[in-house]
Amino acid sequence: MSGATVTTASLDTDRPVRLDEGPAAAIVSVHADIRTDVVQPLRKALAAAVNRRGHVVLDLTDASTMDPAGLGLLVRAHRRARRQGALICLVAPSRFIVTVLHTMRLDGVFPVFEDCTTAQEWLRALRQAEGRCTAAT
Amino acid sequence: MSASPPEQFVRRQRGRSDHTVCPPTPAPWSVTSHDDDVVTTIVMAGAFDLRTVDDLKAGFVFAERQARHVILDITDVEIIDCSSLGLVVRAQQDARRRGRTLVLAAPSPLVTRILQATGLYPAIPVFRTRELARASLLVEQSGGLQGATAESTHDERTGGKRFCRAESTVF
């Protein structure tokens, strides 16, 4: 296992959205509730991450709630990523967010992981398998 | 307390009785397969009952010949009866015996309910999207997560089941 993948936990209050490079995929971490004011930077960060590396890990450890604008953003980001063949993995969503996703019948649409390391491991395995099947064709 | 049915209902019944010999118009349905050298995807669309069993069987025979994991994409399945579900179960058992996996992808709410009611749902993995099904099969094939458990402690409803299996599908 490739050690502690991210040390981005440093709380950065003036930058609620951070984009970091992980070993297998870019990591977008949100250090605020997913509300209207975070939507714009989060949308940009997710788009940039998908364009650059494909699959994205969205770290929600420090996001406790989500409003309808945030939900809409998540859905749009998912659809855009899907069009490019990428997955958005959620890391440690709060119970509030899990409940919102469940209510909107969106659970099961996003792969959910406990921590960034697990998500990165999973994506690394996925990339390896994808690489093998593109090599075979 | 008059128990006479509403006029409209009576008229409709009377009208229909002239055509009882005609079979109901069959819903359009199709079984197509895609093969992408890791998984074989069988796309089912329409209504599935006794009349469609042979074609579904042909689809599964094709999938078996490809010797790959199978994703059964049931996004556009309107309704599916027990004869077709029996075929799905048999196909899954065959696949498992050969060391492969058959999963279902993207059932509609009604079909999810059918899967749950028949007890098929926990027995056969169900994913919300075809992409997720494919990703999960790829990861599984490449040896899965060594030691790492993709489990959640955040949602009690799913009982900490393995993630990326959309265990908590639609309901």
Side-chain angles (χ1 to χ4, degrees):
Chain A
M1 227 131 108
S2 53
T5 43
V6 257
T7 48
T8 58
S10 56
L11 271 173
D12 206 347
T13 39
D14 51 324
R15 281 175 64 202
V17 177
R18 288 192 50 157
L19 177 56
D20 296 282
E21 292 300 325
I27 300 166
V28 176
S29 40
V30 190
H31 301 294
D33 291 344
I34 307 179
R35 296 186 175 283
T36 320
D37 48 334
V38 198
V39 160
Q40 199 69 344
L42 185 54
R43 189 177 55 79
K44 280 185 190 150
L46 282 174
V50 169
N51 286 338
R52 212 186 307 165
R53 308 259 319 255
H55 306 308
V56 186
V57 174
L58 179 57
D59 187 354
L60 297 175
T61 313
D62 295 322
S64 51
T65 64
M66 180 162 69
D67 76 351
L71 185 68
L73 159 92
L74 214 55
V75 171
R76 270 197 301 274
H78 164 70
R79 294 174 64 166
R80 198 177 325 116
R82 189 179 176 177
R83 228 175 294 136
Q84 300 183 27
L87 293 171
I88 295 180
C89 300
L90 305 186
V91 167
S94 68
R95 185 177 299 185
F96 183 97
I97 294 178
V98 167
T99 308
V100 168
L101 293 178
H102 179 78
T103 313
M104 299 312 291
R105 292 230 198 120
L106 285 169
D107 45 358
V109 169
F110 301 97
V112 180
F113 297 93
E114 228 170 56
D115 49 50
C116 280
T117 321
T118 317
Q120 292 282 348
E121 281 288 302
W122 193 81
L123 286 176
R124 193 183 49 75
L126 176 60
R127 271 186 198 283
Q128 273 178 2
E130 279 174 344
R132 250 190 315 229
C133 68
T134 47
T137 45
Chain B
M1 288 242 308
S2 73
S4 64
E7 181 59 25
Q8 194 187 3
F9 179 71
V10 175
R11 218 184 295 130
R12 196 144 42 98
Q13 265 202 330
R14 216 179 283 138
R16 196 190 277 170
S17 67
D18 301 335
H19 305 289
T20 39
V21 281
C22 296
T25 48
W29 52 269
S30 64
V31 180
T32 50
S33 335
H34 304 290
D35 198 22
D36 74 350
D37 74 57
V38 182
V39 292
T40 302
T41 306
I42 299 180
V43 183
M44 292 165 67
F48 286 83
D49 55 20
L50 262 177
R51 286 168 296 179
T52 62
V53 158
D54 286 340
D55 285 82
L56 192 54
K57 211 179 275 177
F60 284 132
V61 167
F62 170 83
E64 199 179 305
R65 226 177 291 136
Q66 303 309 303
R68 302 199 171 107
H69 297 302
V70 180
I71 297 174
L72 205 53
D73 187 334
I74 50 176
T75 315
D76 296 321
V77 171
E78 288 151 25
I79 191 88
I80 183 164
D81 80 336
C82 52
S83 54
S84 313
L85 286 177
L87 275 185
V88 173
V89 172
R90 207 164 310 145
Q92 195 236 4
Q93 287 170 343
D94 283 349
R96 200 164 43 187
R97 215 173 300 126
R98 291 172 166 79
R100 289 186 287 275
T101 316
L102 180 144
V103 300
L104 304 178
S108 69
L110 175 64
V111 172
T112 306
R113 217 146 164 182
I114 294 172
L115 295 176
Q116 283 179 327
T118 51
L120 228 68
Y121 160 49
I124 299 182
V126 178
F127 293 88
R128 281 295 296 274
T129 63
R130 201 205 285 190
E131 290 78 8
L132 206 48
R134 187 166 182 276
S136 184
L137 285 177
L138 281 171
V139 170
E140 204 168 292
Q141 201 189 14
S142 73
L145 300 166
Q146 301 91 7
T149 50
E151 292 189 13
S152 163
T153 52
H154 299 279
D155 188 8
E156 280 93 89
R157 268 188 310 262
T158 57
K161 281 176 189 163
R162 237 187 106 184
F163 261 94
C164 304
R165 283 274 151 96
E167 304 276 6
S168 53
T169 23
V170 181
F171 292 98

